[in-house]
């Protein structure tokens, strides 16, 4: 099972757009006790649809221009009633061979039908004021890649993690002999352990196409090869400092558990470490 590599490339402003109400992951287990198989069995993931766009600034435009037009964009989407949230982000540490765009746009919705509604709002031509916003947006950014993904929110932490902070992205390939279900079970076990250790993070897993259910058809258009990796793993902390504190809480116990449960089943490559800021 080979799936998707996301081109999230260099010198980069990362625009994250999640099209869903960011609610807490509901699990009613006692995270302070010793983890058990039953604990992880009770975890329910939020099912999402994501879109990602990899973009560059046009004509010496910059972040200030982008923020100005996203404020107008937010006002229009507020009026539309579409369930759509958005973040801007910039890279801190990254592989220049993989991160070579200036702007990234990530989005997610709670269902395919809701995602399609968001696309209709974007494509609408009936409102002249929205047409001007679209034209202004297009004058600031050009996007070479646009992808659609199945996604799950696999762990919920404090709301501050999503308001602003650090996003770390991993591209992962499942080893022979394992599949996405078995890897997902291992991540659920790690969620129980991490929460017991006091780790406060939000985790998302992106994989495959939400329309064809095929790992080979993840995109609307893209110049890249998206068959190398099986999924993307996004980890969000409320800040770099919070991420460091979480790593201390995770500690040796967490690292040993991750080695046994995750590293034994997948090979992951760090894509980049970025800051994110919520704009809607």
């Amino acid at each position: 099972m080979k799936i998707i590599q996301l081109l999230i490339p260099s010198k980069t402003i990362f625009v994250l757009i999640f099209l869903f109400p960011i609610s807490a992951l509901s699990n009613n287990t006692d995270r302070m006790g010793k983890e058990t198989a039953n604990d992880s069995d009770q975890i329910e993931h939020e099912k999402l649809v994501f879109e990602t766009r990899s973009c560059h600034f046009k004509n010496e435009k910059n972040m200030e221009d982008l923020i100005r037009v996203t404020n107008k964009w937010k006002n229009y989407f507020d009026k539309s009633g579409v369930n759509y949230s958005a973040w801007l982000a910039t890279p801190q540490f990254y592989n220049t061979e993989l991160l070579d765009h200036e702007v990234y746009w990530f989005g997610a919705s709670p269902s395919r039908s809701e995602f399609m509604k968001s696309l209709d709002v974007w494509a609408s031509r009936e409102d002249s004021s929205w047409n001007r916003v679209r034209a202004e947006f297009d004058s600031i950014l050009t996007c070479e890649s646009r992808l659609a993904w199945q996604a799950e929110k696999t762990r919920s932490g404090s709301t501050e993690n999503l308001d602003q902070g650090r996003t770390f992205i991993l591209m992962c390939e499942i080893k022979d002999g394992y599949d996405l279900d078995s890897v997902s079970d291992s991540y659920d076990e790690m969620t129980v352990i991490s929460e017991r250790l006091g780790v406060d993070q939000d985790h998302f897993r992106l994989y495959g196409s939400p329309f064809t259910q095929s790992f080979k058809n993840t995109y609307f258009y893209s110049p890249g090869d998206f068959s190398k990796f099986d999924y993307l793993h996004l980890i969000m902390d409320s800040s770099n400092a919070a991420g460091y504190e979480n790593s201390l809480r995770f500690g040796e116990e967490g690292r040993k558990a991750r080695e046994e449960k995750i590293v034994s089943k997948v090979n992951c490559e760090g894509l980049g470490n970025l800051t994110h800021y919520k704009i809607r």
Side-chain angles (χ1 to χ4, degrees):
M1 178 177 70
K2 299 285 181 194
I3 330 178
I4 29 208
Q5 174 184 357
L6 173 63
L7 289 182
I8 303 187
S10 157
K11 237 185 6 189
T12 329
I13 297 164
F14 203 14
V15 183
L16 298 135
I17 281 205
F18 297 117
L19 311 145
F20 60 101
I22 310 233
S23 56
L25 185 64
S26 73
N27 43 55
N28 299 318
T29 55
D30 179 5
R31 299 309 186 196
M32 299 309 294
K34 185 176 180 179
E35 69 277 2
T36 65
N38 187 56
D39 284 332
S40 59
D41 287 345
Q42 296 183 51
I43 294 177
E44 296 181 5
H45 298 165
E46 291 184 42
K47 305 295 184 180
L48 310 167
V49 175
F50 267 57
E51 67 165 324
T52 61
R53 307 184 194 199
S54 301
C55 314
H56 287 290
F57 282 118
K58 285 183 178 179
N59 305 321
E60 299 184 354
K61 300 293 185 180
N62 56 36
M63 193 63 160
E64 184 177 342
D65 299 307
L66 182 57
I67 290 173
R68 185 183 65 253
V69 73
T70 52
N71 288 336
K72 299 176 184 178
W73 164 87
K74 176 184 180 300
N75 290 336
Y76 185 79
F77 265 70
D78 285 348
K79 293 176 183 177
S80 74
V82 172
N83 190 352
Y84 207 95
S85 299
W87 287 256
L88 300 179
T90 55
Q92 301 179 84
F93 305 101
Y94 49 87
N95 183 333
T96 55
E97 293 182 1
L98 297 173
L99 294 173
D100 61 7
H101 286 78
E102 293 177 295
V103 182
Y104 298 92
W105 186 284
F106 274 30
S109 63
S111 67
R112 295 186 190 99
S113 61
E114 198 67 22
F115 178 67
M116 291 303 187
K117 291 176 185 177
S118 73
L119 296 181
D120 287 340
V121 173
W122 272 102
S124 172
R125 304 280 182 178
E126 298 175 358
D127 188 323
S128 59
S129 63
W130 172 238
N131 289 338
R132 288 192 293 271
V133 173
R134 282 166 46 98
E136 186 175 356
F137 210 99
D138 291 343
S139 72
I140 293 171
L141 292 180
T142 181
C143 301
E144 290 83 14
S145 172
R146 186 177 185 185
L147 309 172
W149 311 74
Q150 297 179 71
E152 294 178 304
K153 187 178 184 184
T154 59
R155 190 188 309 175
S156 292
S158 304
T159 56
E160 291 83 358
N161 294 337
L162 297 170
D163 290 339
Q164 63 180 10
R166 180 194 73 163
T167 299
F168 183 63
I169 303 176
L170 293 164
M171 300 182 296
C172 299
E173 181 182 7
I174 299 172
K175 295 180 180 179
D176 291 342
Y178 300 100
D179 58 21
L180 194 62
D181 287 338
S182 65
V183 171
S184 181
D185 290 342
S186 295
Y187 275 114
D188 287 348
E189 293 173 17
M190 284 303 306
T191 291
V192 175
I193 295 169
S194 297
E195 291 183 353
R196 177 173 57 78
L197 294 172
V199 176
D200 179 12
Q201 293 175 323
D202 282 76
H203 287 233
F204 297 87
R205 185 163 56 242
L206 280 61
Y207 54 94
S209 168
F211 309 111
T212 64
Q213 306 299 308
S214 167
F215 293 110
K216 295 295 185 181
N217 298 291
T218 61
Y219 52 88
F220 299 132
Y221 56 86
S222 175
D225 173 17
F226 297 94
S227 62
K228 182 179 179 182
F229 294 93
D230 292 313
Y231 62 90
L232 293 180
H233 193 103
L234 277 63
I235 304 171
M236 301 178 76
D237 299 279
S238 61
S239 66
N240 285 293
Y244 176 68
E245 290 299 323
N246 280 324
S247 69
L248 294 180
R249 296 187 190 101
F250 196 63
E252 189 63 23
E253 179 181 349
R255 284 187 284 274
K256 286 182 178 179
R258 181 174 59 196
E259 192 76 22
E260 173 190 344
K261 299 178 183 299
I262 305 298
V263 177
S264 62
K265 297 182 178 181
V266 299
N267 292 315
C268 294
E269 178 180 345
L271 182 59
N273 189 53
L274 308 103
T275 58
H276 63 264
Y277 177 73
K278 187 176 181 181
I279 58 174
R280 181 177 190 264

